[in-house]
Amino acid sequence: MAAAGRLRRRLLLAVPWRWPRGPRRGAAGCPPAGQVRAAFLRFFQERHGHRRLPSAPVRPRGDPRLLFVNAGMNQFKPIFLGTVHPRSELAQHRRVVNSQKCVRAGGKHNDLEDVGRDTYHHTFFEMLGNWSFGDYFKEEACSMAWELLTEVYEIPRDRLYVTYFGGDPTLGLSADEECRDVWLRLGVPSSHVLPFPLKDNFWEMGDTGPCGPCTEIHYDHVGGGRNAAALVNQGSPDVVEIWNLVFMQYSREVEGNLLPLPQHHVDTGMGLERLVTVLQNKRSNYDTDLFTPILDAIHKSCGAPRYQGLVGAADVGRVNMAYRVVADHVRTLCVCITDGIYPGFSGAELVLRRILRRAVRFCSEVLQAPPGLLASLVPTVVEVLIMGIISENEAAFLSSLERGRRIIKRTVQQMEPSTNFPAEVAWSLYGNLGFPLDLIDLMLEEKGISLDSAAFNKLALDDAKRKAGGPQGAQPENTNTHLDVHSLAQLRSSNVPATDDSPKYAYTLRQHGQYEFGPCQATVLMLYRDQCLQKEVGAGQHCGVILDRTNFYAEQGGQDSDQGYMIRLGQQDVLFPIESVHLCGGYVIHAVTAVETLRVGDQVQLFVDEAQRLACMTNHTATHLLNFALRHVLGDSTEQRGSHVTAEQLRFDFNTKGPVTVEQLQQVEQVVQDMIKRNEVVHMAEVPLTLAKRVQGLRAVDEGYPDPVRIVSLGVPVESVLTRDSEAAMQTSVELCCGTHLLRTGSVEDLAIISERQLVKGISRVIAVTGSQAKQAREVGQCLAMEVDSVSLRMKQRSTSISEMQNLSKEVGQLTKVVSSTAMPQWQRKELQAILKALQRTANTAIKKLELQQAEKKAQSLLAKHCNQPVIIDTVSADSLSILMKVVNQLCDKSPDTSVLLLSPQASGEVLCACQVSKNCLPAFSAADWAMAVCTQMEGKAGGSPIVAKGSGNAKGMQGALTTALEFAHSKL
């Protein structure tokens, strides 16, 4: 078998762009997907001299607007936008071909909700594409595409239809007859060459930037000699688009007008899955060999009926939908994990988590598969790490899924007929069990029930406001979580013991770097509502719960409180969400929504939101690293003035003698990086306060610390720093701290300071992010630095074109805004802002100089034309009102006794107007009145002073405006 495989590969290499002979249709002659992909790449590489590039990872580099790479052109954006560094490898490309991995789930392009409902939507797909960057254009692109489809893949010509841009009069764009004529010359019948409007055949990258007409190739699945032109672009499953060829020849400006690009580009894209469907004579992507092995593996593992390709009402029990969902999602999971995107809790990681949980739910509930199915579908050639991540996430969510199913069932049974599903329960499923909202909607939809969306959205909004509201302690006091003096006295007189919160420190670090947080069993000692201690709280009410013990961290020391939920022992399907936790007089009060009646004496089990806790631990340990680094770089006199640690970021205030420089910020980050790389052990211990005060270099302990107090020491055992006269604490971070911390510094992974500013004189504030957020900030910073470098090089070339310099000036302005608002290392932001400020000055100076030169030439010409005239009224070409005004100024400077009014018609149909009146003609002759009279004639507006004025109007009234200008001037002179 191995020898046969090698022989087959040699034969394919020997005839690189010829399709294997034999029946094109039917199972025996179906080309495998791998061969289809290889033929595409080799055709362009070997026959047409394209450079073959590997697929970029599905995680975008340096583009914070994208969650995933969702198109083949993403990695080439800098070329299209003209921001590519001239000396970079990317700038050397002329002809390129590749097969790009794409994910469309989340963001603007999101197919997640459609996957499974039909037979062609996917979250992951491959985009075959060829590109020309200033090399070939329409003739060659169409010719290559036609040759590949009809001669290499041997698709019958009579089944192919091509579309082209039919023009748009509102934009002044004529039909793309050049493209139409290319297809006709290639032998495509005129009945198969069809014009379509802007929405179908004009491609744009965004609101501004490169754009152009496109031509699409469509395939008729039915064939048989019929004419299917009427079905093209009509949403028919029988006639589908297979290839789109985009011709980038314009740039859409901020004002909305289109300007020709100095270089023309070609960007084509053809979905591999759809092409394979055509070549394997199938009607569904899921019936091709890209999916059938996965579908077969699902069937063998779960025992459900075989996949039949049914959709809609015919798919009883949604079994076929489940097959498609699982097959699609496991492909996406494998590709994303391979590219370093793991299921997580924000951005692309959150989307991947939703995809995984959606797949697990269909495996478990619809296909009735045993645990582990999803991981078992991963091919054995995939690294064990990927299987482990999927397996772990699948196992973690299966228990939550079972509990969530019971909660939904129980809630539905208790609901009144024709009522919405309660938002509080849905919010608990979402926040505590990790159910994606779309999964909740789907499960309710299957039961014919709707969610109370308005109430759910309010809960989400309240939660967002709470998270954005700064330190939890700074928020308005909640009467259910802040004990008043009378309630505290009552608790103590009733001998209610203070809460034992030591279990909050009971967590371990497992072998593969994962933290394990155990649950905690407790007893309800007292309930607190509306500033009153209560023995019982009814369903739907918010209250404070005091327990004998807890593993939840209460907000203190600048660290946000934990969130999570609790359940009553023996009642696993009722979750009581814990929204926040507060410490008051030794009692830990849990802010809880009572889903059912809650009573004193209830036995409960507590579950911390592990992701939020771990993120807070990471950022708190990073805060200690940052504090040490600041003192190390700025000096021992640097003291902390406040901090706030959340799951998203950390904030640190400190005293400083002056602004922190770029070099100091870099040094601080480097010190932190070094400690992270050393993966120091984080030592923690409780010691008497008198002993703690002996620690060398410990910051002032004038705060109200408990006795004993907790010491956190990075890399040095607490016993060592407590030794009398020991200087070990001077070489590392040692602080008094009650917060929860990592057990090793390596788990921080990375730290980037993304903001630094002075609050008041002598006090600075920095904001930093860690882990993947820090890595992303660095990637964004590097990409923006390359864009700034590119603009700088182009600025040095000193173009003599005003429009080119104005475009550069706009680009500098846009980059300045992006650099100011994007999360990136602060030292790099300061560097780039200084460069951009200088570039803006250079551009403004150059534009002013070029405008003056142009204005002087036009003024000289007009003076020669209107020699010694008291009034000059004329039309002149000017690219802007600024230039027109300068021409008027130059004329009046050279001829002070002359009054001047100039009109300048623009390509857009607008007419610019500028005028200046000689001082000798004042006050009888007013420039403002003159401009108003002229622009009113053109249905426009004007304004100014008695000496100078400007305005604009419509070109249709220009001739009448010139007459009005002359009559007005004669009436005043």
Side-chain angles (χ1 to χ4, degrees):
M1 290 294 290
R6 286 194 296 270
L7 175 60
R8 185 181 184 196
R9 284 193 293 274
R10 282 201 298 270
L11 288 172
L12 284 171
L13 286 168
V15 191
W17 48 75
R18 278 295 164 204
W19 203 242
R21 289 296 175 186
R24 199 187 68 82
R25 304 263 173 227
C30 284
Q35 193 173 311
V36 174
R37 182 195 299 108
F40 180 92
L41 297 171
R42 292 166 64 91
F43 173 80
F44 283 100
Q45 181 182 12
E46 300 181 13
R47 191 176 185 102
H48 292 288
H50 287 59
R51 182 174 182 183
R52 178 175 171 179
L53 295 182
S55 170
V58 292
R59 181 192 287 279
R61 278 189 62 84
D63 192 341
R65 293 159 292 192
L66 282 180
L67 290 172
F68 302 97
V69 166
N70 56 25
M73 54 73 65
N74 288 159
Q75 65 176 310
F76 303 119
K77 267 188 182 179
I79 298 178
F80 299 137
L81 294 171
T83 59
V84 64
H85 194 293
R87 294 194 298 271
S88 69
E89 184 181 3
L90 200 59
Q92 313 311 313
H93 296 327
R94 290 295 173 264
R95 296 182 175 209
V96 166
V97 63
N98 85 339
S99 179
Q100 174 62 49
K101 299 174 290 187
C102 300
V103 173
R104 289 189 178 172
K108 180 180 176 183
H109 299 287
N110 183 5
D111 290 340
L112 179 57
E113 295 304 313
D114 296 316
V115 170
R117 298 179 187 272
D118 54 40
T119 62
Y120 50 87
H121 273 101
H122 304 292
T123 51
F124 164 73
F125 62 95
E126 284 188 65
M127 186 65 81
L128 303 170
N130 61 289
W131 287 267
S132 165
F133 305 118
D135 190 349
Y136 60 80
F137 205 43
K138 297 178 185 179
E139 180 90 36
E140 297 90 336
C142 295
S143 177
M144 292 176 198
W146 193 249
E147 179 187 3
L148 177 64
L149 293 178
T150 61
E151 296 182 24
V152 177
Y153 290 140
E154 297 180 343
I155 298 176
R157 295 169 182 242
D158 63 351
R159 291 198 178 198
L160 297 175
Y161 295 80
V162 296
T163 65
Y164 66 94
F165 178 52
D168 191 312
T170 61
L171 291 174
L173 294 175
S174 57
D176 191 359
E177 295 177 354
E178 178 188 359
C179 178
R180 178 200 64 189
D181 293 343
V182 168
W183 288 118
L184 293 175
R185 286 197 298 273
L186 288 170
V188 183
S190 58
S191 59
H192 285 221
V193 182
L194 312 169
F196 279 90
L198 192 82
K199 70 180 183 69
D200 295 307
N201 278 79
F202 196 89
W203 186 91
E204 302 196 53
M205 185 182 293
D207 295 333
T208 60
C211 56
C214 63
T215 180
E216 296 174 342
I217 304 174
H218 296 249
Y219 175 79
D220 177 16
H221 277 287
V222 176
R226 71 170 185 164
N227 189 323
L231 298 176
V232 173
N233 276 338
Q234 299 304 310
S236 169
D238 293 335
V239 180
V240 296
E241 175 204 336
I242 58 172
W243 205 346
N244 187 13
L245 286 65
V246 178
F247 307 122
M248 294 193 194
Q249 59 188 91
Y250 300 108
S251 175
R252 187 176 289 282
E253 302 300 295
V254 176
E255 297 81 8
N257 57 310
L258 296 175
L259 296 178
L261 283 173
Q263 266 197 332
H264 291 172
H265 307 303
V266 174
D267 166 12
T268 86
M270 177 161 57
L272 175 67
E273 290 77 7
R274 194 169 286 188
L275 176 62
V276 171
T277 299
V278 169
L279 296 178
Q280 293 185 358
N281 197 25
K282 306 294 184 183
R283 296 298 297 273
S284 160
N285 296 355
Y286 291 91
D287 291 335
T288 67
D289 67 341
L290 288 166
F291 289 93
T292 50
I294 305 174
L295 298 172
D296 290 342
I298 295 170
H299 172 67
K300 290 174 185 175
S301 299
C302 71
R306 276 194 175 278
Y307 177 70
Q308 297 174 285
L310 302 175
V311 295
D315 183 17
V316 179
R318 298 193 180 191
V319 172
N320 288 265
M321 178 180 178
Y323 267 103
R324 289 188 289 268
V325 167
V326 174
D328 171 88
H329 288 10
V330 76
R331 285 182 6 126
T332 305
L333 287 163
C334 289
V335 168
C336 289
I337 291 171
T338 301
D339 283 348
I341 304 175
Y342 301 149
F345 296 90
S346 65
E349 285 80 5
L350 177 61
V351 175
L352 198 63
R353 184 171 181 257
R354 286 179 56 201
I355 290 171
L356 187 144
R357 295 190 164 205
R358 193 169 188 258
V360 171
R361 188 258 168 169
F362 274 97
C363 283
S364 173
E365 291 199 355
V366 181
L367 297 176
Q368 301 293 308
L373 168 64
L374 203 57
S376 74
L377 298 176
V378 181
T380 54
V381 295
V382 178
E383 294 178 11
V384 176
L385 173 64
I386 297 174
M387 292 182 67
I389 292 170
I390 293 179
S391 208
E392 185 177 319
N393 277 270
E394 182 178 11
F397 185 56
L398 269 173
S399 60
S400 296
L401 179 63
E402 179 57 35
R403 180 176 290 168
R405 187 190 298 127
R406 291 199 304 267
I407 290 171
I408 290 176
K409 183 179 179 181
R410 179 188 176 95
T411 306
V412 170
Q413 288 171 346
Q414 296 176 346
M415 283 170 53
E416 296 290 333
S418 304
T419 56
N420 287 333
F421 191 82
E424 291 82 5
V425 179
W427 182 253
S428 181
L429 291 169
Y430 172 79
N432 298 313
L433 292 185
F435 273 56
L437 182 56
D438 59 297
L439 182 59
I440 298 171
D441 282 333
L442 185 63
M443 294 174 76
L444 295 179
E445 178 190 316
E446 291 168 355
K447 295 181 181 294
I449 298 169
S450 297
L451 172 64
D452 186 348
S453 297
F456 185 91
N457 291 339
K458 185 180 184 304
L459 289 172
L461 185 62
D462 291 345
D463 183 64
K465 285 180 179 176
R466 185 192 63 76
K467 288 179 178 176
Q472 292 172 349
Q475 295 178 8
E477 289 199 352
N478 186 324
T479 56
N480 294 330
T481 55
H482 291 82
L483 297 169
D484 60 22
V485 63
H486 304 294
S487 299
L488 273 171
Q490 189 178 344
L491 284 169
R492 287 166 182 156
S493 65
S494 302
N495 294 319
V496 176
T499 311
D500 173 15
D501 64 351
S502 60
K504 68 188 178 187
Y505 299 124
Y507 50 89
T508 56
L509 180 60
R510 286 158 59 183
Q511 186 176 0
H512 298 294
Q514 294 167 320
Y515 283 80
E516 187 169 10
F517 303 87
C520 173
Q521 191 170 317
T523 302
V524 177
L525 299 183
M526 192 60 69
L527 301 168
Y528 187 65
R529 177 172 167 77
D530 296 334
Q531 294 186 309
C532 292
L533 297 176
Q534 301 182 12
K535 300 281 187 180
E536 182 179 303
V537 169
Q541 294 185 323
H542 300 278
C543 66
V545 179
I546 300 172
L547 305 169
D548 62 335
R549 61 200 305 268
T550 183
N551 59 346
F552 275 65
Y553 181 83
E555 191 280 317
Q556 57 185 316
Q559 178 179 326
D560 268 6
S561 77
D562 283 335
Q563 292 177 295
Y565 65 94
M566 67 183 190
I567 61 172
R568 262 196 294 247
L569 291 183
Q571 197 176 13
Q572 303 293 313
D573 52 353
V574 178
L575 271 65
F576 295 85
I578 299 175
E579 293 146 14
S580 61
V581 188
H582 303 267
L583 183 65
C584 190
Y587 298 99
V588 176
I589 303 100
H590 305 74
V592 169
T593 300
V595 181
E596 291 191 356
T597 301
L598 199 57
R599 299 179 178 87
V600 169
D602 282 349
Q603 301 290 303
V604 296
Q605 198 165 17
L606 300 162
F607 296 87
V608 167
D609 181 332
E610 296 181 6
Q612 194 231 7
R613 160 68 82 84
L614 183 56
C616 283
M617 286 164 52
T618 300
N619 287 341
H620 204 150
T621 301
T623 302
H624 285 213
L625 292 170
L626 180 64
N627 189 7
F628 172 76
L630 285 166
R631 295 180 73 180
H632 182 80
V633 173
L634 302 181
D636 291 338
S637 61
T638 304
E639 292 287 347
Q640 177 178 338
R641 289 290 178 258
S643 69
H644 183 217
V645 174
T646 70
E648 291 77 30
Q649 63 182 32
L650 63 96
R651 191 197 73 206
F652 192 81
D653 301 342
F654 58 98
N655 67 314
T656 177
K657 295 177 181 177
V660 184
T661 66
V662 167
E663 293 75 18
Q664 288 171 331
L665 286 170
Q666 289 175 311
Q667 291 169 17
V668 168
E669 283 192 1
Q670 189 57 56
V671 171
V672 174
Q673 295 287 348
D674 292 343
M675 296 182 77
I676 292 172
K677 286 175 185 175
R678 289 200 297 270
N679 197 21
E680 305 276 18
V681 174
V682 180
H683 299 276
M684 292 169 276
E686 284 193 349
V687 300
L689 188 58
T690 52
L691 276 179
K693 289 181 178 180
R694 295 181 188 171
V695 176
Q696 292 276 341
L698 191 69
R699 68 183 177 89
V701 287
D702 53 356
E703 297 179 31
Y705 286 100
D707 191 6
V709 68
R710 192 171 177 83
I711 288 186
V712 179
S713 172
L714 305 186
V716 179
V718 174
E719 308 83 64
S720 299
V721 301
L722 288 175
T723 305
R724 189 176 294 276
D725 299 327
S726 170
E727 295 190 0
M730 301 292 287
Q731 310 305 318
T732 188
S733 165
V734 180
E735 295 192 37
L736 307 183
C737 181
C738 62
T740 56
H741 285 270
L742 298 171
L743 301 180
R744 280 191 172 270
T745 60
S747 299
V748 176
E749 294 182 3
D750 194 5
L751 178 139
I753 297 171
I754 59 171
S755 173
E756 184 274 325
R757 64 186 179 91
Q758 281 206 313
L759 296 178
V760 294
K761 187 176 181 180
I763 303 290
S764 281
R765 168 172 291 176
V766 296
I767 294 173
V769 291
T770 58
S772 60
Q773 283 181 280
K775 285 182 171 63
Q776 185 175 1
R778 294 190 192 286
E779 285 183 2
V780 170
Q782 288 167 5
C783 289
L784 287 174
M786 287 178 65
E787 290 191 35
V788 171
D789 198 14
S790 172
V791 173
S792 183
L793 284 171
R794 283 180 281 143
M795 192 77 77
K796 287 176 182 175
Q797 294 169 3
R798 293 298 173 100
S799 171
T800 55
S801 164
I802 292 176
S803 62
E804 284 184 19
M805 288 306 299
Q806 285 174 332
N807 285 335
L808 275 175
S809 177
K810 283 182 186 176
E811 197 173 331
V812 170
Q814 289 168 350
L815 269 175
T816 301
K817 288 180 182 177
V818 173
V819 166
S820 297
S821 61
T822 303
M824 61 186 294
Q826 180 68 8
W827 65 264
Q828 195 168 31
R829 189 196 319 277
K830 285 187 172 184
E831 280 190 347
L832 296 183
Q833 284 175 330
I835 295 169
L836 288 167
K837 188 175 181 180
L839 288 175
Q840 194 68 72
R841 282 198 301 266
T842 301
N844 293 343
T845 303
I847 290 168
K848 188 175 180 180
K849 185 177 179 182
L850 290 170
E851 285 182 347
L852 283 170
Q853 289 173 354
Q854 191 179 103
E856 190 169 0
K857 288 179 183 177
K858 294 181 185 293
Q860 291 285 7
S861 175
L862 287 167
L863 274 176
K865 180 179 177 182
H866 302 276
C867 185
N868 298 322
Q869 295 292 321
V871 176
I872 296 176
I873 298 171
D874 209 335
T875 61
V876 65
S877 64
D879 293 334
S880 67
L881 193 55
S882 171
I883 296 175
L884 189 64
M885 200 72 237
K886 285 183 173 66
V887 177
V888 171
N889 296 151
Q890 292 268 356
L891 281 168
C892 292
D893 286 347
K894 295 177 186 297
S895 180
D897 295 331
T898 303
S899 297
V900 180
L901 185 143
L902 299 179
L903 299 181
S904 179
Q906 303 294 299
S908 62
E910 183 185 30
V911 175
L912 305 178
C913 171
C915 65
Q916 183 170 333
V917 169
S918 171
K919 291 180 181 179
N920 299 331
C921 300
L922 296 174
F925 197 177
S926 165
D929 294 342
W930 198 14
M932 180 62 74
V934 171
C935 291
T936 300
Q937 181 69 32
M938 297 187 293
E939 300 177 353
K941 295 179 180 180
S945 69
I947 297 178
V948 294
K950 57 189 176 182
S952 63
N954 195 301
K956 293 179 181 177
M958 190 172 75
Q959 290 305 318
L962 290 168
T963 304
T964 299
L966 189 59
E967 291 173 350
F968 186 94
H970 285 162
S971 70
K972 300 297 180 182
L973 294 174

